[in-house]
Amino acid sequence: MHKYFYIFFVFLLSLKLCAQQNKMLEKELQEVLQSENLTGAVWSMVSGSTITTGALGLKNTNSKELFNRKNSVQVGSVTKVLIATGILRLSSQNKLDIDSPINKILPNIIFDNPWEKSNPVTVRDLLNHTSGLEDAKFWQVFSTKPSSDTPLESIFLKDPSVLRIRTIPGSRFSYSNMGYAMLGLIIEKVTNESYESYLDANLLNPLGMNNSTFQFVTQKGKNADQNLAMGHFDDGTTQENLPMYLRPSGQFTTTANDMGLLARFLMSDGMINGEQFIKKELLNQMGKPESTESNINGLNTGYQFGLSYRDRYGVTGYFHRGNTIGFRSTFYLFPEENNAFFISFNTDSETANYQKFNQVFIEHLGIKKIEKIKANDSLPRNIEEYEGFYKLNPIRFEKFTYLDLLFNSIKVIKMDNKLIVKSIQSDSYSLLPVGENLFKKQDRVRASHVLYKKNNNQIISNGLVTYQKTSILYIGVMWLSLILGLLGIIIIVIRGLYFFAKKKLLTGNQALFVPFVSVILLFIPIPFLLNQSFLNLGDLTFANVLLAIVTGIFPIAMIFGLIRSRRNKPSLIDVLGVLFALQWAIVLIAWNLIPFRLWS
């Protein structure tokens, strides 16, 4: 009798302690939510077989309705974890070979792949973001034109340039929403039904995720789901969910508890009701890449099958974040300890530090800290050849290659027993040597970067971002062109205003008239662009067409100004202003930025 009483007492005590811990967690989360000025959130936490859920803040600022743990949310790119899991299910059923070339499954999809014979794009490449496809085109992301059932194949056949392969398939990671949209199309070709219907019935239902769907749902009008939280932006404005072209990469509605069920399954042996649902060896490969250049050269980090390796806060795990209109989310697994957490916010903020929530969960779960790998006493002997300037290769968005070159390139220098990495857009950081060509950031516990050579080019990679060494002269010339171009525009504006004030713009010095007007025209689209929704940035709108027209006029006006200067003999400073502006316009034309067509 005493034995049962003791067991019952321990059980009650554990329940009380658990409740106290959950209250502490909720209090910490609430404090961070308020400090980061976020509307609300739902979360789930997995510890062993136990799933704990919670909710914070408001579901909708307009109605002032409180979030509850059963409310649905959007998860953005966390959808990719589920798409990858669906592909692994088909592979486990022997319905799909993940090493099969895409052209065998989708004969209408013809890649512009210079390495087609030796390295065709495979299903594995799409899963791992190593296909060489860019992330997306503006029109595929920022558009209100797609419907909830726009054929997936159309987003690849509409514009052949989206199928250009930029790096050897399988060699380097480059995040691609297009790649995961193509996986949705592959599911449709293999199963002969929409990927949404197939995965709802054959993935979500067996996993018990009965409150989740791949189908399009929104908060208002047709397909309205009253349980779905409203999305918000920084200023508190609300935004209902909208259809998207690349929907397999980011369209998924779920609940905190359902995401807990997914996390628990992904950390299991892949069995459901005594049957192998997904092969264990496939589940064990999630987040553990082996075949990219950085992996082959010794770095054990990167992305595989829908998850990326994550080394933060003194612990390692597997991770995916997501954002979509009005929502941000995080999905984090620690399989060795059988712990996980998921959190989704109904605020898409550009200023909030969402990482703070991760740290709260990790500390609350008590994830064991890992002893940091010890740094070596000296740098590799050949380290001098890795000093210099590096550019991204590949980059996510081809449209902004020029801007990435100028603002996302890095400079690497050695200092004492470490490498210093400097960047214009982000803080400098140090890399400590931990073995031959491996390095780690100071706050990491394992190697985070690798240095290697490819085709006599020096490469630095962290498994997710790859930099290739470039000439300081090349970057210097690009920066000089930018500076001179801006100086030229300033000269044209100042001198144009001067002649206008003197009433000589039309009569005394006609050479500057057309260039001056063309510069003033560049400002005209601004109010129209500010007036239109950012969701229309990729559409053929009046503001976007106007922007293309005035940027297209700019170089023509500079040429016209030079021609007129031969007749009117203006001052040298006027001629230099026009020349400086023209050379920059030519550079922008070469980089396909003039005329600036956001919809192309």
Side-chain angles (χ1 to χ4, degrees):
M1 183 71 179
H2 291 293
K3 177 182 177 183
Y4 293 113
F5 177 78
Y6 176 74
I7 293 173
F8 182 67
F9 176 76
V10 171
F11 174 71
L12 288 179
L13 183 62
S14 64
L15 286 178
K16 185 176 181 180
L17 289 172
C18 183
Q20 288 177 340
Q21 289 178 343
N22 288 338
K23 282 185 178 180
M24 289 175 59
L25 171 63
E26 191 162 306
K27 182 182 177 182
E28 289 182 52
L29 292 174
Q30 183 67 51
E31 288 174 354
V32 180
L33 191 81
Q34 291 175 348
S35 69
E36 297 304 313
N37 198 32
L38 299 173
T39 307
V42 291
W43 55 269
S44 58
M45 190 171 61
V46 179
S47 184
S49 60
T50 303
I51 299 175
T52 307
T53 61
L56 307 161
L58 296 176
K59 175 188 173 186
N60 187 330
T61 55
N62 291 337
S63 66
K64 305 301 180 185
E65 185 179 354
L66 294 176
F67 238 138
N68 73 67
R69 64 190 67 201
K70 294 184 179 180
N71 284 144
S72 301
V73 289
Q74 298 292 311
V75 298
S77 287
V78 175
T79 304
K80 294 177 176 66
V81 180
L82 289 117
I83 293 291
T85 305
I87 293 288
L88 298 185
R89 169 60 177 159
L90 290 172
S91 176
S92 299
Q93 294 176 294
N94 297 317
K95 293 181 179 181
L96 177 65
D97 179 2
I98 60 175
D99 290 308
S100 174
I102 302 303
N103 57 18
K104 289 187 177 181
I105 306 168
L106 305 173
N108 289 340
I109 301 298
I110 302 173
F111 293 105
D112 179 8
N113 180 9
W115 307 276
E116 181 65 38
K117 290 185 179 180
S118 59
N119 295 84
V121 178
T122 65
V123 177
R124 183 185 296 271
D125 292 326
L126 297 180
L127 281 168
N128 296 347
H129 295 296
T130 57
S131 64
L133 290 169
E134 70 171 302
D135 188 332
K137 298 291 187 183
F138 252 56
W139 65 265
Q140 293 174 325
V141 179
F142 300 106
S143 176
T144 55
K145 290 183 178 180
S147 65
S148 59
D149 57 357
T150 299
L152 293 178
E153 196 171 58
S154 68
I155 63 180
F156 301 106
L157 301 182
K158 176 182 175 181
D159 176 10
S161 72
V162 305
L163 296 175
R164 189 170 76 86
I165 303 302
R166 304 161 303 152
T167 54
I168 300 174
S171 64
R172 295 181 187 178
F173 174 93
S174 184
Y175 195 88
S176 176
N177 279 293
M178 277 196 288
Y180 265 74
M182 194 171 289
L183 287 173
L185 179 58
I186 287 170
I187 292 172
E188 293 186 343
K189 292 295 182 181
V190 171
T191 64
N192 291 315
E193 59 179 302
S194 74
Y195 85 91
E196 294 103 326
S197 298
Y198 178 81
L199 292 178
D200 277 3
N202 296 279
L203 178 66
L204 301 184
N205 187 48
L207 291 177
M209 299 176 67
N210 300 319
N211 297 304
S212 302
T213 182
F214 286 91
Q215 304 288 346
F216 173 74
V217 293
T218 187
Q219 298 90 340
K220 297 179 180 179
K222 190 179 178 182
N223 303 109
D225 179 0
Q226 298 304 317
N227 195 49
L228 176 60
M230 181 61 73
H232 299 80
F233 296 117
D234 272 317
D235 60 1
T237 57
T238 59
Q239 174 64 58
E240 68 269 21
N241 191 32
L242 297 174
M244 59 179 72
Y245 281 121
L246 302 173
R247 59 186 187 274
S249 68
Q251 177 180 289
F252 187 65
T253 306
T254 189
T255 63
N257 188 69
D258 277 8
M259 291 303 290
L261 292 172
L262 174 66
R264 194 167 65 182
F265 172 76
L266 294 181
M267 296 186 294
S268 74
D269 57 5
M271 303 286 286
I272 295 180
N273 298 325
E275 295 184 2
Q276 195 74 53
F277 187 69
I278 294 180
K279 293 177 182 178
K280 186 177 180 180
E281 58 267 27
L282 292 177
L283 284 182
N284 288 343
Q285 290 179 53
M286 295 183 80
K288 303 172 184 176
E290 297 178 346
S291 58
T292 65
E293 289 176 2
S294 61
N295 301 143
I296 292 170
N297 282 279
L299 190 65
N300 295 320
T301 68
Y303 185 106
Q304 178 147 294
F305 297 170
L307 288 172
S308 63
Y309 172 87
R310 187 78 166 170
D311 179 348
R312 297 289 191 282
Y313 321 112
V315 302
T316 60
Y318 302 95
F319 162 94
H320 212 300
R321 71 162 60 94
N323 70 282
T324 187
I325 303 171
F327 288 87
R328 294 281 183 106
S329 58
T330 299
F331 186 66
Y332 227 131
L333 303 180
F334 304 94
E336 291 183 7
E337 283 141 318
N338 208 19
N339 288 333
F341 69 87
F342 161 80
I343 186 166
S344 180
F345 309 89
N346 62 336
T347 310
D348 183 12
S349 171
E350 296 299 324
T351 58
N353 183 359
Y354 292 94
Q355 303 295 325
K356 290 182 178 180
F357 295 90
N358 299 348
Q359 193 165 5
V360 171
F361 277 110
I362 288 170
E363 291 176 357
H364 186 81
L365 284 166
I367 305 299
K368 185 179 179 181
K369 302 287 183 179
I370 299 173
E371 185 178 353
K372 289 186 178 182
I373 188 171
K374 191 175 181 180
N376 290 349
D377 295 330
S378 60
L379 293 165
R381 292 181 180 178
N382 65 337
I383 198 63
E384 286 83 3
E385 62 182 294
Y386 285 94
E387 290 187 280
F389 287 86
Y390 289 77
K391 64 178 181 179
L392 283 166
N393 186 12
I395 64 167
R396 285 182 63 174
F397 297 96
E398 286 291 299
K399 187 76 173 175
F400 301 112
T401 303
Y402 174 70
L403 297 176
D404 273 316
L405 176 67
L406 291 175
F407 299 105
N408 283 330
S409 294
I410 60 173
K411 181 182 180 182
V412 177
I413 58 173
K414 67 173 184 176
M415 184 181 294
D416 300 327
N417 189 35
K418 57 190 175 185
L419 290 179
I420 306 298
V421 180
K422 297 183 177 181
S423 170
I424 290 176
Q425 286 206 33
S426 56
D427 296 333
S428 299
Y429 58 88
S430 301
L431 294 178
L432 306 177
V434 293
E436 294 189 5
N437 59 340
L438 295 176
F439 290 75
K440 78 177 186 74
K441 292 182 76 171
Q442 287 183 320
D443 62 337
R444 304 292 193 264
V445 297
R446 294 286 183 264
S448 61
H449 290 70
V450 63
L451 278 57
Y452 63 94
K453 278 189 176 182
K454 182 72 175 181
N455 298 327
N456 291 321
N457 292 310
Q458 287 79 14
I459 308 292
I460 295 178
S461 177
N462 67 1
L464 300 177
V465 179
T466 300
Y467 291 91
Q468 181 171 307
K469 194 172 184 181
T470 189
S471 165
I472 184 176
L473 179 61
Y474 177 54
I475 291 182
V477 167
M478 290 295 102
W479 266 104
L480 179 61
S481 170
L482 169 64
I483 293 168
L484 290 178
L486 293 176
L487 178 61
I489 290 174
I490 291 170
I491 290 171
I492 291 169
V493 170
I494 292 175
R495 294 284 291 172
L497 290 173
Y498 170 78
F499 286 122
F500 178 77
K502 294 289 186 180
K503 298 182 180 180
K504 295 180 179 179
L505 187 60
L506 295 175
T507 58
N509 197 320
Q510 296 182 4
L512 267 189
F513 173 69
V514 173
F516 175 75
V517 171
S518 74
V519 172
I520 299 303
L521 288 176
L522 294 176
F523 294 93
I524 292 179
I526 293 176
F528 296 100
L529 290 168
L530 293 175
N531 246 355
Q532 79 173 14
S533 169
F534 76 94
L535 297 172
N536 295 116
L537 282 175
D539 290 335
L540 194 64
T541 64
F542 175 78
N544 292 347
V545 170
L546 189 60
L547 180 64
I549 291 172
V550 298
T551 53
I553 289 173
F554 180 73
I556 298 172
M558 297 304 126
I559 294 172
F560 185 83
L562 284 179
I563 293 173
R564 294 296 296 270
S565 68
R566 295 186 64 182
R567 300 177 185 175
N568 299 324
K569 296 181 180 180
S571 67
L572 178 61
I573 191 171
D574 295 343
V575 175
L576 288 176
V578 174
L579 278 173
F580 289 166
L582 177 61
Q583 64 79 28
W584 190 40
I586 292 170
V587 169
L588 293 177
I589 291 171
W591 287 97
N592 199 30
L593 289 173
I594 286 184
F596 196 54
R597 296 166 296 169
L598 287 168
W599 68 87
S600 67

